[in-house]
Amino acid sequence: MRFGINTLDDLAVQGKTVLCRVDINEPVDQAGGTLKDTTRIEACTPTLKELSEKGAKVVLLAHQGSDIEYQNFYTTAPHAQVLSGLLGKPVRFIDDVCGPAAREAIKALKPGELLLLDNVRFMAEEQTFFEMKLQLSHAAQAKTLLVQKLAPLGDLYVCDAFAAAHRDQPSLCGFEQLLPSAMGRLFEREFCVISSLMENPERPCVFVLGGAKINDAFLMMSTVLAGGIADTVLTGGLVGEVLSWADGKDIGEGARKFIKQEGYELLVEAGKALLARYRDRIVMPGDFAGVREGKRLEYPLGSIPQDILVLDIGSKTAQAYQDRIKAAKTVFVNGPMGVFEEAATEKGTRMVWDALGETVGYTVVGGGDSISATKKYGKTGLIKYICTGGGALIRFLTGEELPVVKALRHGSQLTTKQ
Ligand code: ADP
Ligand code: MG
């Protein structure tokens, strides 16, 4: 038991049917029916291997994509193939979530065998829209079709989906009302790393916040600054631009227009409030870079031409951030410093990631695009901890109790099936 939640050490799984929720949501190439990345699938294999080797009948539940962006909304069939390869044993797939076919396949499982059900978000009650509009209690989630059909076939529930721990949905929070539950190894590890980062980071502790999710970045910033967790926050990406604007600096008409168009103008006021309280611990870019006719051009604050849209921090800022990162004992990063997908505006991100690879400090990187940057710059083996969960990580760092953590604490108190 850790953090009030059972671990796999606390469950006797031999011969038991274990319903195991994983987060193997990946970018999909719908035309080719393949996955463009497999990071999350790889991350949950230790739990699946352990359950299978201990003789559990393993039923995997997972979502793929969402009803908000249909681009990645897809079957989990390709995931079963990838999992089979990684585990070196067949992971059966069935194109049903909790209907008669899925239930028959679960009943037919033998100890050590694995079965992946189809995308749980094919069920209406599991959709993001449903979660946002209806906000079911955990007791009510236990009454949804998915849980009512599958819980009677399971003995135990394991959640290894830390990346989805901020989601309040039946496949994540419903089963814990009925089945003795535990967290998987990935969930346990991510929870431990992030908790120790929050409780007792080695100092100096530097947060590097960039990217485009300004709301999340501001929330995180106020939590880690108010709680004394971060000694310094270095800002880049749109986060740095909005803060500079809030600080009364001229970031150019291009950037201001873009920020307005994205609906982030309201956050300028939030930026002012942050600066009023924590100015001495927040670092903003001193120079920026933009593109003209395909060429990178750099400008110090105060001389950004009005027709240039800045899309990266400048080299001087990146150099200063490198020095701070190398001098830190703990570095947490969420969000790139600029539009690193384009050659002309990747320099700031590349320089920051180079420093992450060199520092002796404990480095943690979270967020989908930040993980892509880590791969792009070949730093995967050099970053101490890459957190698979972007949204969950951010909410954890804002101090919220995650819905899945709450549900798992409940399920950890159950000794028998309800
Ligand atoms: P993460 O996925 O790591 O949490 P975000 O999703 O918040 O990060 O931000 C990543 C996105 O932000 C990238 O697509 C990147 O191109 C974009 N971005 C970064 N800096 C800027 C900028 N200055 N202007 C516009 N977009 C930016
Ligand atoms: Mg992103």
Side-chain angles (χ1 to χ4, degrees), residues 224-237:
V224 299
L225 288 168
I229 297 150
D231 296 304
T232 313
V233 178
L234 312 177
T235 63

Side-chain angles (χ1 to χ4, degrees), residues 204-208 230-234 324-325 328 330-333:
C205 173
V206 173
F207 272 61
V208 185
D231 296 304
T232 313
V233 178
L234 312 177
R324 298 240 192 191
I325 289 168
T330 308
V331 189
F332 171 88
V333 187

Side-chain angles (χ1 to χ4, degrees), residues 124-309:
E125 291 159 325
E126 193 71 21
Q127 301 230 345
T128 310
F129 173 80
F130 195 91
E131 174 200 9
M132 291 190 304
K133 296 287 174 199
L134 290 162
Q135 301 186 344
L136 293 185
S137 69
H138 290 179
Q141 288 180 33
K143 295 193 178 124
T144 57
L145 189 72
L146 177 81
V147 180
Q148 286 294 312
K149 292 290 181 192
L150 296 186
L153 304 180
D155 299 298
L156 303 163
Y157 175 80
V158 168
C159 184
D160 210 21
F162 187 80
H166 58 302
R167 298 246 164 254
D168 215 341
Q169 297 177 337
S171 75
L172 290 151
C173 301
F175 291 102
E176 291 96 323
Q177 309 306 306
L178 304 173
L179 300 177
S181 310
M183 57 185 164
R185 295 299 181 200
L186 175 65
F187 198 112
E188 183 184 348
R189 191 161 154 237
E190 306 221 305
F191 202 153
C192 278
V193 169
I194 295 162
S195 303
S196 53
L197 180 71
M198 284 293 275
E199 274 153 31
N200 196 15
E202 262 207 84
R203 299 193 182 274
C205 173
V206 173
F207 272 61
V208 185
L209 301 178
K213 294 190 296 266
I214 306 165
N215 225 336
D216 286 344
F218 278 11
L219 263 174
M220 256 196 285
M221 219 182 284
S222 51
T223 312
V224 299
L225 288 168
I229 297 150
D231 296 304
T232 313
V233 178
L234 312 177
T235 63
L238 274 175
V239 178
E241 289 169 29
V242 171
L243 270 180
S244 300
W245 185 359
D247 196 29
K249 301 288 179 353
D250 181 7
I251 54 171
E253 189 51 29
R256 278 193 299 269
K257 238 165 119 180
F258 182 74
I259 289 164
K260 279 186 203 161
Q261 174 195 315
E262 295 294 299
Y264 292 141
E265 199 185 351
L266 285 173
L267 291 168
V268 173
E269 287 307 312
K272 282 184 191 162
L274 276 169
L275 288 171
R277 291 185 70 177
Y278 307 111
R279 167 175 296 277
D280 52 331
R281 289 154 69 201
I282 297 175
V283 183
M284 287 168 281
D287 61 344
F288 287 92
V291 184
R292 185 170 273 157
E293 286 155 14
K295 253 190 89 203
R296 178 184 179 94
L297 295 169
E298 301 210 350
Y299 307 95
L301 256 187
S303 57
I304 299 170
Q306 297 306 312
D307 63 333
I308 277 277
L309 171 60

Side-chain angles (χ1 to χ4, degrees), residues 210-214 216-217 220 236-241 255 258-259 262 264 288-289 309-313 333-342 345 349 353 365-373 390-391 394:
K213 294 190 296 266
I214 306 165
D216 286 344
M220 256 196 285
L238 274 175
V239 178
E241 289 169 29
F258 182 74
I259 289 164
E262 295 294 299
Y264 292 141
F288 287 92
L309 171 60
V310 293
L311 293 168
D312 193 13
I313 58 172
V333 187
N334 179 231
M337 296 294 101
V339 180
F340 71 103
E341 296 92 339
E342 304 294 329
T345 49
T349 305
W353 258 252
V365 171
D369 292 290
S370 303
I371 293 174
S372 302
I394 290 158

